[in-house]
Amino acid sequence: MNKPAPKPRPVPRPTENTRFFWDAARRGRLALQYDPDAGRYQFWPRAISTATGRRNLEWREASGRGMVYSYTVTHVPTAGFEDRTPYIVGLIELDEKVRIIGNIVGVAPGDVAIGMRVRVVFETLSDDIDYFAFEPDSG
Amino acid sequence: MARNFLAAQDVCIVAYGETRIDRRTGRTAYELAAEVAEQLFAGTGLKPGGIDGVTFTVPLSECANPFWSNYATDYLGITPRWLQTSDIGGASAIGNVARAAMALQNELCETVMLIGADAPSSKWSAVYGSYRNEFWEPTGIQGPPGAFGLLMNRYCAQYELDFAGLGALAVAQRNGAVVNENAYERFRKPITVDDYLTSRAVSTPLRLLDSVMFCDGANGLVMMRTDRARELGFENRVYPFAYSEITNFACAEQTPDITETGFSVAGPEALAKAGMSPADIAMFHPYDDFLIAVMLKLEQIGFCERGRGSQFLRDTDISPTGALPINTGGGQIACGQPGLAGGGVNLVEAVRQLMGEAGERQVPDPANALVTGIGVIPYGRSWGSSNALVLVN
């Protein structure tokens, strides 16, 4: 049996709703959906506010700063992550009071901690997609 | 509180079936469904023409077919007058018991076959939409183990997690699989707490022995109205007695405590409907995709305080003859998880116990069982669906 070729890291396929997010990412900015009626952000992006049930949403560039709400050190890699093991996946609570899952880079697995301050960084996945990750934010 | 539509015990379970659980069998969900259906026909004396209601759990291995339940009932020679496929994952098995009860009570059908059959270790056809392509898969998160790694680590930050307590659960469930001839053969040997503690990290702090492994298999039940079961001579009856279900607990909250789950709602509600407290439960058959899910359920249903689940597991005899028998047949972690038919592993074991047919792992004279289901791994929370079913005999 032939060994199957390794699968590459999945690359997002933007939708009508998420185009702004990925355009902002290419400029090195993290964008979040904001619901002006409820006065709050939501993540992940979708075409309706989960607070009001209305589609009245706007995109805002966010601070890109937050803290590690939880994290896990991954020892069994997914597609495209084989050469990074072990790598950190974080659940980050942004200062805008939403949570986002992303890699935590620039810190050894043994040195990451819940409560640690982080800020967004981007890595290029394709010609069209820069993907967010987080690194320690010393201030 | 809502009316308990199961209080009258006017519907019952009269038969159960289960195939052996095995890995990479090369068999299809259709073939596995046929094997368990044959058991259910033989156990009831019914033929395909005698079944007029059917429930399924949508299989990972066949979910690309949007007409799964049509194809599968046609395959089995059944002409349903009521047909239900549930897609709340591992919550579907007991969810279908509640749905079948409602169909029977409302006379949409007379005899329901409830089947879970899946073969994800042989064939995979699931493709997820929504946030998955853009915000989940490119992060390298290791699927359910990654999500549970995040959940466990957060729990560790808020409470004291004694991993030896989870190890005690792993050991007890393995002991169940050792005496369960349907368990995946490779798992039918005992392990120690130390084996658990030293098993390799998958997605920290989650270890290999915290986790289920995808296998192939099928399980099922037959349900009918109680008056009809009496007429037909089914003497060994098990009654669904109380049920509660919740999906997407706290999903519109942006920064919830992710250690708090839908079982904080569904668990106490099911018990209240049954007029029971946790101390009244004779045995617990919780859906076990990961050990910590069982522990969180113990806390949130009310068997112990928040934050004390691992100590409870460490200090309680959870064997078949213990104070609170848990997953006596090994559960999914020790038997192998037959994909989205997995919820039926816990459910069928509870029914087998209540019918007094569990052999050397039989719980002495159990009066009732609490069975739970878990469905779907959501984004940055615990799980999607939580449900709880009280069974009595």
Side-chain angles (χ1 to χ4, degrees), chain A residues 34-50:
Chain A
Y34 182 75
D35 176 345
D37 300 319
R40 66 167 210 181
Y41 292 87
Q42 68 181 19
F43 194 83
W44 31 277
R46 51 200 118 183
I48 193 164
S49 162
T50 60

Side-chain angles (χ1 to χ4, degrees), chain A residues 9 12-14 18 22 40 42-45 69-73 75-76 78 81 87 97 99-101 103 131, chain B residues 130-131 133-135 138-142 150 153-154 157 200-204 252 254-258 379-380:
Chain A
R9 180 174 172 181
R13 297 180 300 277
T18 60
W22 298 112
R40 66 167 210 181
Q42 68 181 19
F43 194 83
W44 31 277
Y69 177 79
S70 191
Y71 70 93
T72 181
V73 181
H75 291 267
V76 179
T78 61
F81 281 83
Y87 58 92
K97 294 295 169 200
R99 298 210 186 112
I100 179 170
I101 294 171
N103 293 137
Y131 206 81
Chain B
S130 191
Y131 58 83
N133 161 261
E134 293 175 276
F135 299 106
T139 68
I141 189 167
Q142 180 48 267
L150 292 172
N153 217 10
R154 184 65 204 181
R200 66 186 168 87
V202 176
S203 192
T204 66
Q254 296 301 302
T255 56
D257 175 356
I258 66 166
Y379 185 96

